[in-house]
Amino acid sequence: MSTDTLARTDGGRRVRCALFVDFDNVYIGLRRLDPAAAEAFATDPGHWLAELETGSDSQGEFSRRFLIRACYLNPSVFSVYRPNFTRAGFQVVDCPSLTQQGKSSADINLVLDAVDALAAPTRYEEFVIVSADADFTPLALRCRAADRMVTIITASPAASAYRAVADNVITADALAELVTTTTSLSDEPLTATTPEPVAPEPAAAGQRPGAEEKATGRGAASGRTTTGSPSTSTPAAASASAAPAPATQAHPSPAARRAVLHRVRSADRPVPLGAVAQAAQQADPGLPGSGWGGAGSFAAWLGRVLPELGMTSRPPGYVWDPQRFDEADLPGVVADTDPSALTRQVIAVTDTPGLPASGYRKLLEGLATDIAAHPFERAETSRRVRDACQKAGAQVGRATVNTVISGILYTGLELTTAHPAEKLAQAWADNVIGLCRGARMDLSKGDVAAIRAWVGGGLLEG
């Protein structure tokens, strides 16, 4: 997004935005994941709208001005929430069901209004689509072709192709945190809307899941991951310390630093080291030629300029945001033995965590044990299950546990009551198969059985 398309005020850049909310899709998705978050989203839209109004990207801080605020809902089902959005300054478009199947006209109304906005005399720099419906992929592509930034906010699993065409993605977990906490989005490393921190902040109430993980190997001062072998996976600063010390301190290059933070914190998974280096080089083309600011290598520069990020130099190398991920969330585990082409494809197109079957078994059994012993609460449950898995010797990250819990909830299985591990495995496997079919994978009966045996942790065999 070029700076000459942005309105400027004394407070910095202001981005002209058009916001389109597919209410039914978001509310239903959030209700499956977190009923309290769904109610907060529906009853206090002014809160989460205010949270989205400030942020930063690779060019620095900006503020959003939502010139269009449109909400599309089915009045026969959700009319009770209509006044909340009207009061928050939204134009509410009633989209009643027009078919016997109950499908509303929200999709077509949203697309028509968005296309009109693309052609409007006012140039909207950013289109924010609040929906997980992959049917909006062509709309996102049209916006990108018109040189507009696209941000999507989802409340349920979104197809990889849909997420890939967006500049920024706020996932369901991030949205649930956003609508239920009073912490400003500017303090949250969720997407490109996260301002650049000067120094790591201590854990506090309202932080995203994972921010409190000091007890499981994170540095108390920096929040960095320190699990795993020090020779292969270390905080960025530790990796840098292994390199020869340059005569002078590495040049920080503010533009490259912002670009790296944007790339890592807007990602929904750990980012390959090469991709992060490319982002830094694009922001400051002269940085590699200067020996990475005198540090000697990109890894050393990263460790000295952004020590709060997690990094592993084990090929191909990854960089991640320690407040959301840790070493156990890194890709590449995949299976107990060499992964099959099918397994690799499932991971690539559905973002199914690459745990081995034994890891899934420990996770599912740990979840069954936990919900039998404690009331279900997503943040605390996922933390306890992650700790139990790692205690049992399985390298399972917090983000992986959250993904499995969300997948089970999306199938309609409630976790407020105890279930045997086999039933949880069945629900999780059904979710993965559904994601595969949604991605148009052509699965044979043998493929389905192999996937179930893998993600079900062997609990569904026989």
Side-chain angles (χ1 to χ4, degrees):
M1 183 170 55
S2 58
T3 56
D4 60 355
T5 65
L6 302 180
R8 289 182 177 271
T9 67
D10 292 339
R13 295 180 300 148
R14 297 196 72 184
V15 181
R16 293 183 290 269
C17 297
L19 172 68
F20 303 94
V21 180
D22 182 356
F23 180 89
D24 299 26
N25 179 276
V26 176
Y27 181 79
I28 293 171
L30 272 182
R31 190 168 58 188
R32 291 175 178 172
L33 183 67
D34 187 336
E39 288 306 305
F41 167 80
T43 58
D44 193 6
H47 166 69
W48 54 261
L49 186 65
E51 298 295 295
L52 291 171
E53 286 181 345
T54 58
S56 73
D57 59 14
S58 59
Q59 299 177 36
E61 296 184 0
F62 67 82
S63 63
R64 288 186 173 97
R65 187 181 181 202
F66 290 107
L67 301 181
I68 293 178
R69 305 177 184 181
C71 176
Y72 305 81
L73 59 76
N74 186 341
S76 63
V77 181
F78 299 115
S79 61
V80 65
Y81 299 117
R82 195 181 198 280
N84 301 329
F85 282 80
T86 301
R87 187 168 58 247
F90 281 80
Q91 174 193 5
V92 180
V93 180
D94 289 334
C95 302
S97 299
L98 301 177
T99 67
Q100 292 182 348
Q101 290 75 28
K103 182 174 176 57
S104 75
S105 58
D107 293 8
I108 187 63
N109 277 294
L110 190 157
V111 170
L112 288 172
D113 288 347
V115 171
D116 285 346
L118 272 175
T122 300
R123 179 178 173 83
Y124 302 98
E125 289 92 16
E126 182 183 30
F127 282 69
V128 181
I129 304 171
V130 189
S131 177
D133 192 342
D135 288 348
F136 293 122
T137 302
L139 172 62
L141 287 168
R142 177 71 67 88
C143 293
R144 287 182 64 87
D147 193 24
R148 316 299 172 91
M149 186 163 67
V150 178
T151 294
I152 63 173
I153 303 176
T154 71
S156 54
S160 298
Y162 179 40
R163 289 185 285 108
V165 299
D167 296 281
N168 310 304
V169 179
I170 296 180
T171 62
D173 285 335
L175 177 61
E177 287 290 321
L178 176 64
V179 302
T180 56
T181 67
T182 58
T183 303
S184 170
L185 184 64
S186 63
D187 295 326
E188 296 290 329
L190 303 181
T191 68
T193 56
T194 308
E196 172 186 341
V198 175
E201 297 292 337
Q207 281 184 303
R208 282 188 46 74
E212 78 288 3
E213 302 188 4
K214 298 175 184 176
T216 60
R218 298 203 173 179
S222 67
R224 299 190 301 253
T225 301
T226 57
T227 58
S229 171
S231 63
T232 58
S233 180
T234 64
S239 291
S241 66
T248 58
Q249 186 176 4
H251 189 276
S253 181
R257 186 178 190 276
R258 286 195 301 267
V260 168
L261 282 173
H262 169 61
R263 182 69 178 88
V264 174
R265 289 180 169 170
S266 64
D268 57 1
R269 70 193 73 182
V271 185
L273 189 63
V276 180
Q278 183 179 23
Q281 183 175 352
Q282 288 175 342
D284 186 349
L287 193 56
S290 68
W292 291 101
S297 68
F298 173 70
W301 178 88
L302 183 65
R304 291 171 185 173
V305 174
L306 286 165
E308 64 266 31
L309 296 180
M311 181 179 71
T312 175
S313 58
R314 183 173 59 245
Y318 286 94
V319 184
W320 64 90
D321 175 5
Q323 291 192 323
R324 294 181 296 147
F325 307 107
D326 59 32
E327 184 188 1
D329 293 310
L330 296 179
V333 178
V334 182
D336 294 305
T337 57
D338 290 339
S340 66
L342 174 64
T343 301
R344 290 189 182 279
Q345 185 180 20
V346 171
I347 293 170
V349 304
T350 69
D351 297 324
T352 296
L355 285 181
S358 60
Y360 274 121
R361 187 182 192 102
K362 286 185 173 66
L363 193 163
L364 293 163
E365 290 177 340
L367 179 58
T369 299
D370 191 86
I371 61 176
H374 305 281
F376 175 72
E377 196 282 318
R378 287 183 64 251
E380 289 301 310
T381 299
S382 66
R383 178 184 60 79
R384 289 192 300 265
V385 172
R386 185 277 318 277
D387 291 348
C389 288
Q390 294 193 356
K391 186 177 181 180
Q395 287 300 305
V396 177
R398 181 76 171 273
T400 298
V401 178
N402 280 329
T403 298
V404 173
I405 288 176
S406 297
I408 291 172
L409 291 173
Y410 289 137
T411 66
L413 182 65
E414 299 291 339
L415 297 180
T416 51
T417 57
H419 300 288
E422 291 78 10
K423 190 170 184 178
L424 299 179
Q426 182 67 55
W428 168 238
D430 287 346
N431 176 77
V432 174
I433 296 297
L435 292 174
C436 292
R437 297 198 188 283
R440 303 298 188 267
M441 286 183 63
D442 186 13
L443 300 177
S444 66
K445 290 183 178 179
D447 291 338
V448 171
I451 294 171
R452 289 188 181 279
W454 165 43
V455 301
L459 295 168
L460 304 179
E461 293 178 341

